[in-house]
Amino acid sequence: MILQPQALFIEAGHGKSPGGSTDGGATRTVVLPDGRLQIITERELTIQIARRVLSIMKTKRAELGNGIIQGVGIETAASTIRKMTYVNSVITQNRLDPAKCFGIAIHINSAASPAAGGIEAWFQPERPEGVTLCDFVAKGLNEWIQTGLRSQYIRPSNASRFGRLYIQDAGCTYMLIECGFLTNDADLDVLRFRTERVATGIAHGLMQYFRKRLRRREG
């Protein structure tokens, strides 16, 4: 048995800036074997990962039921405001129960120090259910890619260096996963060349969460 969400939103981080230009998130320049330089953006990696997570979760419909499984900002470069407005409109227009709707924003971290690495997840402080969701997804991802969890790998979204993360505007339980660091060589190798495992790990964590949540309710 598994909890069947009424809606599950899979989001690719970044997209459009408030001014309308493309927001690629963090960037990293790498040297290719032939000596050419390649600029890698967070956005291009999150698109690849989110597409695959969305595809995997849709194959789970036999378990997840007939709820909405929707990509957000994957094929269109929407701003964060538009993304959260869209999520909330889907819930409202379909008269869904926000307590049975979930979302995950897929991002990649960066830091001044190349030694910084690992996975971390962010939850909405007003929705403590997100702590459990973050825990399952972060651990599920680490199980598949083995890059390690940061020392405080679950954090409230109002404690970020940006002051407040946009996921707090979602009208349902909505988390943000940082899959690793673009600025860390080991993490970047996994994110670039083992995308399937990254996506599988996230999907695995989501499925484990829905199973656990149902058992807890029934208990």
Side-chain angles (χ1 to χ4, degrees):
M1 294 292 293
I2 187 169
L3 175 68
Q4 297 182 331
Q6 291 184 359
L8 174 61
F9 301 99
I10 309 296
E11 180 203 330
H14 297 278
K16 288 284 188 183
S17 71
S21 60
T22 300
D23 172 20
T27 61
R28 170 80 182 273
T29 301
V30 298
V31 181
L32 300 176
D34 61 6
R36 289 183 297 118
L37 299 180
Q38 179 182 7
I39 298 175
I40 298 171
T41 68
E42 177 183 358
R43 170 71 178 168
E44 68 181 277
L45 293 175
T46 61
I47 289 174
Q48 294 176 38
I49 296 167
R51 279 177 179 160
R52 188 60 188 132
V53 174
L54 180 62
S55 176
I56 293 171
M57 296 308 292
K58 284 183 175 180
T59 68
K60 305 292 184 181
R61 280 201 177 277
E63 297 173 82
L64 292 175
N66 295 318
I68 296 168
I69 302 177
Q70 181 72 58
V72 179
I74 297 177
E75 305 305 334
T76 58
S79 67
T80 54
I81 293 173
R82 287 185 177 274
K83 288 175 183 177
M84 295 302 93
T85 299
Y86 173 75
V87 166
N88 294 338
S89 69
V90 171
I91 294 171
T92 300
Q93 291 171 11
N94 291 279
R95 299 180 180 179
L96 306 179
D97 180 354
K100 297 179 181 178
C101 299
F102 305 87
I104 178 169
I106 298 171
H107 284 252
I108 297 166
N109 230 329
S110 65
S113 170
I119 299 161
E120 67 183 12
W122 300 78
F123 68 95
Q124 306 144 297
E126 69 277 13
R127 294 180 182 271
E129 181 65 28
V131 175
T132 306
L133 177 61
C134 284
D135 193 39
F136 273 94
V137 174
K139 287 178 177 175
L141 176 57
N142 189 51
E143 184 178 333
W144 278 82
I145 66 176
Q146 295 291 304
T147 56
L149 301 169
R150 292 180 63 74
S151 58
Q152 293 183 323
Y153 67 95
I154 301 176
R155 302 186 67 188
S157 59
N158 59 353
S160 87
R161 66 183 185 273
F162 302 107
R164 180 184 185 276
L165 296 178
Y166 67 93
I167 61 171
Q168 288 180 236
D169 294 326
C172 63
T173 299
Y174 207 100
M175 66 165 287
L176 186 151
I177 184 80
E178 298 277 10
C179 302
F181 279 71
L182 197 72
T183 46
N184 179 286
D185 288 344
D187 283 7
L188 183 59
D189 280 348
V190 172
L191 295 165
R192 290 178 69 198
F193 304 120
R194 304 178 74 189
T195 305
E196 179 71 24
R197 292 191 70 83
V198 176
T200 300
I202 293 172
H204 174 71
L206 287 169
M207 294 301 294
Q208 288 295 95
Y209 168 76
F210 290 130
R211 294 183 182 112
K212 175 69 174 181
R213 195 170 186 273
L214 181 63
R215 287 199 295 269
R216 190 171 67 184
R217 276 189 169 186
E218 290 181 337

